[in-house]
Amino acid sequence: MESHYSNKKRFIVNTIYFFLIALIAYVFLNYAINLISPFIFAFLIAYMLKKPTKSLAVMLKIPPKMVSIVLVLLFYSTIGLLFSLIGVKLISVVTALISGLPLIYETQLEPFLLNTFDVVEQAVYRLDPALVEVLNEGFNQFVNSLGEDVKNVSLSLVGSLSSLASSLPEFLIKIVLMIISTFFIAMDYDTLAQFISRQFTKRSNEIIQKIKQYISHTLFVVVRSYILIMGITFIELSVGLSIIGIPNAVLIAFMIAIFDILPVLGTGGIMIPWTIITFFQGNYQVSLGILVVYIVVTIVRNILEPKIVGGQLGLHPVVALMSMFIGANLIGVIGLFGFPITLSLLKHLSDTGTIKLLK
């Protein structure tokens, strides 16, 4: 009886313990991480540049601090140039598309609706001529309302771009903090790492080292998995768009495959609007073909993603899919990738006997 009571007590204590850890992790990821994110990214970048810095310092016989300054400068210069070029092009394309929504409605959607209504009107007239007047009035209200809605959507999207532009100063402050912090951390990385290490016990440091090694390997595995998924998506899109007869199918497939990595937008962010626009332009076969390709790509990805990512992480596809869904809904992009990796880490630590979590 005493043993049964002790087991219940231990179960309750462990449940509360893990619940508190999960709550702290959620609060940290959802709120605190936004405040310290520049310094976290700075530390990660300094960590990535640590080995090249030491190798070049030994090879060129230059002080490591000098090498770290040059490498950090080259890293941010390259990244800054790439993002600037992509950002300027992306903003110009999105702005032109949003501004052109009313024109697309007037030149494509409205004529399509009018032609469709003419066919419906003729059919209704044969059935009951008295209904035509009612149908005309309802259709005119619908067209006017839809036109206003398109204009309002266009204005709201332009307003969203403006609000995004207004948040740039805060974003730029974080970027500047990250760049400055990276220089200081890279120059004194070993000193800072040793200081942090001294704050933990020997046992804690051993666990931290295992976690660091596993996370480094797991991140590589996750990146490799998504590159594989992106490659499969690229092949499907290339073949599908080529069969439909889309010009520059391979280039378009490559761009969509890169866009597909984004969890919120994905392939549908491009292919669904593309399907709608081609439909209203009267290219019904092309529109249907794009829709079929999109459906095939989506089905294949939803089948393969949990299996590939879960298999690489040592998780069952159902567990991987569930963790990705829960993580994306709770935290967003970080949760989408972070939850499967966290579960994989806990499983690894449990399998190696570092912690006693799973039976």
Side-chain angles (χ1 to χ4, degrees):
M1 188 70 181
E2 184 68 27
S3 175
H4 184 66
Y5 174 76
S6 299
N7 288 335
K8 285 186 175 181
K9 183 179 178 181
R10 189 182 302 112
F11 173 77
I12 293 171
V13 170
N14 288 338
T15 302
I16 295 173
Y17 175 71
F18 286 116
F19 175 76
L20 288 175
I21 290 177
L23 182 63
I24 292 169
Y26 173 76
V27 171
F28 174 76
L29 290 173
N30 221 21
Y31 301 102
I33 198 169
N34 186 47
L35 297 175
I36 62 173
S37 57
F39 308 101
I40 293 174
F41 284 115
F43 199 90
L44 290 174
I45 293 167
Y47 174 75
M48 288 191 302
L49 297 176
K50 181 183 68 170
K51 287 185 179 179
T53 298
K54 289 184 177 180
S55 300
L56 286 173
V58 172
M59 187 187 303
L60 301 175
K61 297 180 181 180
I62 299 174
K65 289 189 177 182
M66 294 287 294
V67 178
S68 65
I69 291 172
V70 174
L71 285 182
V72 171
L73 192 61
L74 286 173
F75 175 83
Y76 278 117
S77 298
T78 305
I79 295 295
L81 180 62
L82 288 174
F83 272 90
S84 298
L85 293 174
I86 295 171
V88 169
K89 183 65 177 177
L90 187 61
I91 290 171
S92 64
V93 170
V94 172
T95 304
L97 179 62
I98 292 172
S99 302
L101 282 178
L103 182 61
I104 292 173
Y105 171 77
E106 291 175 5
T107 58
Q108 304 291 339
L109 180 56
E110 189 174 8
F112 169 79
L113 292 175
L114 290 172
N115 292 333
T116 304
F117 177 74
D118 287 339
V119 175
V120 174
E121 185 181 32
Q122 291 173 10
V124 171
Y125 183 80
R126 293 191 195 98
L127 295 174
D128 188 354
L131 291 175
V132 173
E133 186 177 348
V134 178
L135 189 64
N136 273 324
E137 184 179 351
F139 179 76
N140 290 332
Q141 290 179 355
F142 170 73
V143 170
N144 292 333
S145 175
L146 185 60
E148 288 298 321
D149 289 341
V150 170
K151 291 178 182 178
N152 291 334
V153 167
S154 179
L155 290 173
S156 64
L157 288 173
V158 171
S160 298
L161 289 177
S162 301
S163 64
L164 181 64
S166 65
S167 65
L168 280 178
E170 181 184 354
F171 177 73
L172 290 175
I173 289 172
K174 289 184 177 180
I175 293 295
V176 171
L177 281 174
M178 183 177 70
I179 293 172
I180 295 172
S181 301
T182 307
F183 279 105
F184 287 115
I185 294 172
M187 287 190 294
D188 295 314
Y189 182 85
D190 290 334
T191 303
L192 292 171
Q194 290 169 8
F195 171 77
I196 294 171
S197 177
R198 285 195 295 269
Q199 310 312 308
F200 299 94
T201 62
K202 184 179 179 181
R203 171 65 177 166
S204 298
N205 276 313
E206 289 175 358
I207 295 175
I208 290 170
Q209 284 299 318
K210 287 184 179 180
I211 291 173
K212 187 178 76 171
Q213 291 171 3
Y214 187 75
I215 289 293
S216 300
H217 170 73
T218 304
L219 285 175
F220 171 74
V221 166
V222 170
V223 171
R224 186 178 62 187
S225 300
Y226 276 99
I227 289 174
L228 177 60
I229 292 169
M230 187 174 72
I232 294 170
T233 303
F234 168 69
I235 293 171
E236 291 172 332
L237 289 169
S238 298
V239 173
L241 296 178
S242 298
I243 292 173
I244 297 169
I246 301 295
N248 301 316
V250 175
L251 178 61
I252 294 172
F254 178 72
M255 298 299 293
I256 296 175
I258 293 176
F259 201 72
D260 187 47
I261 296 299
L262 300 175
V264 178
L265 299 171
T267 309
I270 293 179
M271 299 196 73
I272 290 176
W274 190 8
T275 301
I276 295 170
I277 291 171
T278 52
F279 180 79
F280 287 137
Q281 288 175 340
N283 300 326
Y284 303 121
Q285 290 184 344
V286 174
S287 178
L288 180 61
I290 295 170
L291 181 62
V292 170
V293 172
Y294 167 67
I295 292 172
V296 171
V297 168
T298 303
I299 291 172
V300 172
R301 182 190 171 109
N302 287 333
I303 293 172
L304 291 181
E305 186 172 8
K307 190 171 182 61
I308 292 175
V309 176
Q312 295 286 356
L313 294 177
L315 299 175
H316 191 278
V318 174
V319 177
L321 183 63
M322 183 174 65
S323 63
M324 291 163 69
F325 176 76
I326 294 172
N329 279 276
L330 286 178
I331 306 175
V333 178
I334 296 175
L336 178 72
F337 297 103
F339 270 48
I341 292 174
T342 302
L343 280 181
S344 175
L345 171 63
L346 292 175
K347 180 180 180 298
H348 172 74
L349 294 176
S350 181
D351 291 343
T352 54
T354 305
I355 60 173
K356 295 180 180 179
L357 182 62
L358 302 172
K359 295 182 181 179

